[in-house]
Amino acid sequence: MKFTIASACAEDKLVKVTWNDGHTSRFYNKWLRYYCCCKTCKPGYKATYVADLTTLPDVLTVAKVVVDKKGEAINVEINGEIIPGHVIQYDSQWLRQHCYCDACLDDLIDKRDVISKNGASVGDLTVREVEYQNLLDDPDRTIFRICEEVILRGCCLVKNVPCEDNKSLEVVRMLAPITETCFGVRFDVDFSNSQHGNNNPTLLPFHMDCTAYEQPAGFFFLHCLRFDETIRGGESKLTDLFDAAETLRKESPEHFKTLSEVPASWDTYSHHLSHPAHLEHQKCHIELDYFDKIVAVNWSPGLVGPLRIKEKDVERFYKARTKFSEIINREENQIVFRLQAGDVIVVNNRRVAHARTKIDNKDGGERHLQGSYANIDDVRSKYMQLAAKLGIDVVQPKIGNRCSF
Ligand SMILES: [Fe+2]
Ligand SMILES: [Zn+2]
Ligand SMILES: [Zn+2]
């Protein structure tokens, strides 16, 4: 819809705008001055600062408000302006898109929350497949499709990737720069490699990777180079942590509150790695934003470190974590599959936990995986760029990077 301004008037510390659809916005004068879209204030590049807006008076009053004849633009002049002759200018469409009334904020948060709309509880945690050959034939559309699947549903499987060393790195780099961690640019999982430890015979419980970092890995890419039929077990499992957290909020509000208030500890002490690691971090299992929305979940039983919390919180913390663990491990919300040689599974590590069933190679054989990571914001950025390039209308989605936007 094309929005135009029907009328605008100054009111004490703000400008009240009435729109062609009857909606009303209230923009504080300080807000209007800060995000001014004139050529002086928005010269087309970021990171510079044309005027120190913190020196504006605390209470900013309006000298003049002018709406153009068609209602497509608005100019505002303020008292106490710090750039001589400056007029605040806005295009109506932009201004309406940035209305911050309660209704517009709720609507925006809801539109962007693709996680709630596609979580396990709505029965849509499925692994959709994309053919590697399509990446070569039609890279833009195929990369967009992979990003879309992982953003909407948390995971995607790229089939028939050549089983060559480092081949998956090419796939990662098509989506985003590789994030190097203490495991290197790429890590290997096989029976000879204890570095990543993932082929030990016990089951690997549901977890996210790299929770001992301030920012856990964003998307992970795991390429199956070899998985012999002689090997029993070793199935992959995925489950949606955001969905589990919403279930906890519904079923046990007190436990939910505890896990969003009392932090867990995480560590990784691996001095034998290619980049020897001594990592510790403290954060909550469930992180809420200003709007009380779940914006991050942290879960990795194998990386928990000794708690550093006040004694009064210890008991309630463990009770809450036990309940959350029970929900995360509910079978009805899991996808279980066996990787095939040539598969690259792409997972949003900040949203979806992965696990592996017990593995048994008593009859010989090899299971060899190569993994790497990409930054969560870089992948979403690629998705938005490609949407624009391909003319696909998308709303920037919530992705699990600690904010609703
Ligand atoms: Fe893992
Ligand atoms: Zn300006
Ligand atoms: Zn509004």
Side-chain angles (χ1 to χ4, degrees):
M1 175 169 183
K2 187 180 174 191
F3 294 107
T4 55
I5 296 173
S7 65
C9 62
E11 252 185 33
D12 193 16
K13 298 168 194 167
L14 56 89
V15 173
K16 191 171 152 188
V17 173
T18 304
W19 299 89
N20 58 330
D21 63 346
H23 189 73
T24 303
S25 303
R26 293 158 58 82
F27 295 106
Y28 268 72
N29 300 334
K30 210 44 125 14
W31 189 102
L32 287 169
R33 181 60 190 91
Y34 260 79
Y35 313 111
C36 173
C37 290
C38 82
K39 286 201 171 66
T40 304
C41 298
K42 291 255 174 351
Y45 45 85
K46 282 260 183 180
T48 52
Y49 200 44
V50 294
D52 184 0
L53 298 176
T54 60
T55 62
L56 286 164
D58 278 345
V59 176
L60 212 51
T61 55
V62 166
K64 198 174 170 190
V65 180
V66 180
V67 177
D68 80 342
K69 280 204 182 80
K70 292 180 178 167
E72 291 171 352
I74 184 169
N75 288 359
V76 178
E77 289 174 43
I78 52 164
N79 298 311
E81 177 55 69
I82 50 175
I83 299 178
H86 176 261
V87 177
I88 299 170
Q89 298 174 20
Y90 281 105
D91 164 77
S92 298
Q93 203 69 16
W94 189 97
L95 197 59
R96 176 57 183 267
Q97 281 164 1
H98 291 82
C99 175
Y100 56 91
C101 76
D102 287 354
C104 286
L105 279 178
D106 286 349
D107 186 52
L108 186 63
I109 290 168
D110 183 62
K111 278 198 184 111
R112 291 188 173 200
D113 188 4
V114 298
I115 294 178
S116 297
K117 294 179 182 74
N118 297 286
S121 66
V122 292
D124 206 13
L125 182 69
T126 49
V127 189
R128 313 270 172 113
E129 297 179 359
V130 169
E131 276 296 321
Y132 173 73
Q133 188 59 41
N134 294 346
L135 264 176
L136 307 179
D137 297 342
D138 189 359
D140 282 353
R141 277 186 196 283
T142 311
I143 294 164
F144 179 79
R145 170 89 202 288
I146 296 169
C147 293
E148 185 180 46
E149 287 301 336
V150 187
I151 287 169
L152 297 188
R153 276 171 277 278
C155 52
C156 180
L157 199 53
V158 185
K159 298 292 290 181
N160 299 309
V161 179
C163 295
E164 298 162 18
D165 263 350
N166 293 326
K167 199 69 189 170
S168 66
L169 299 187
E170 290 173 25
V171 177
V172 185
R173 288 194 178 105
M174 290 176 93
L175 274 76
I178 289 174
T179 304
E180 189 167 1
T181 66
C182 58
F183 304 109
V185 169
R186 181 203 96 194
F187 57 83
D188 283 78
V189 178
D190 59 31
F191 286 100
S192 66
N193 189 333
S194 62
Q195 174 160 302
H196 213 248
N198 287 359
N199 262 4
N200 56 32
T202 53
L203 66 85
L204 192 62
F206 276 113
H207 69 283
M208 298 161 49
D209 285 1
C210 303
T211 46
Y213 282 90
E214 183 272 332
Q215 188 186 54
F219 280 36
F220 78 73
F221 298 70
L222 206 53
H223 185 193
C224 180
L225 292 165
R226 192 173 156 190
F227 197 164
D228 296 344
E229 285 179 6
T230 46
I231 292 175
R232 282 189 292 260
E235 280 86 17
S236 301
K237 302 206 288 184
L238 300 173
T239 199
D240 189 332
L241 292 171
F242 273 66
D243 201 67
E246 286 296 1
T247 302
L248 181 70
R249 169 142 60 183
K250 270 186 230 118
E251 291 184 7
S252 310
E254 271 309 306
H255 292 331
F256 179 85
K257 188 166 177 286
T258 298
L259 293 191
S260 64
E261 286 174 355
V262 183
S265 293
W266 315 91
D267 61 44
T268 298
Y269 306 122
S270 297
H271 292 255
H272 61 286
L273 296 176
S274 44
H275 299 284
H278 189 109
L279 302 164
E280 289 182 10
H281 200 260
Q282 185 181 54
K283 51 183 157 280
C284 287
H285 281 297
I286 296 168
E287 296 183 51
L288 304 175
D289 72 355
Y290 169 75
F291 302 100
D292 207 33
K293 301 287 180 190
I294 299 167
V295 289
V297 181
N298 300 295
W299 188 259
S300 190
L303 298 182
V304 292
L307 283 180
R308 290 194 177 101
I309 57 175
K310 294 178 179 170
E311 186 183 346
K312 68 180 176 60
D313 291 322
V314 172
E315 203 171 326
R316 71 172 176 130
F317 176 84
Y318 283 115
K319 276 186 185 160
R321 182 150 77 184
T322 299
K323 177 67 183 173
F324 194 32
S325 178
E326 182 266 307
I327 294 171
I328 288 171
N329 286 287
R330 285 181 189 171
E331 283 185 9
E332 65 263 30
N333 295 329
Q334 300 174 8
I335 308 175
V336 184
F337 58 100
R338 184 177 165 113
L339 284 167
Q340 312 283 324
D343 287 352
V344 172
I345 180 79
V346 189
V347 173
N348 180 351
N349 181 58
R350 305 289 292 276
R351 168 181 171 188
V352 172
H354 56 289
R356 179 195 34 71
T357 61
K358 285 182 190 169
I359 193 161
D360 170 1
N361 71 333
K362 280 202 283 280
D363 297 332
E366 182 56 282
R367 175 181 184 263
H368 183 196
L369 313 175
Q370 286 184 338
S372 28
Y373 305 112
N375 178 283
I376 193 165
D377 298 297
D378 283 330
V379 176
R380 185 173 65 175
S381 167
K382 185 75 178 181
Y383 173 72
M384 295 305 295
Q385 285 172 45
L386 284 176
K389 186 177 173 186
L390 298 167
I392 301 169
D393 190 19
V394 296
V395 175
Q396 171 151 307
K398 172 175 167 176
I399 197 168
N401 65 349
R402 307 180 73 208
C403 80
S404 282
F405 304 113

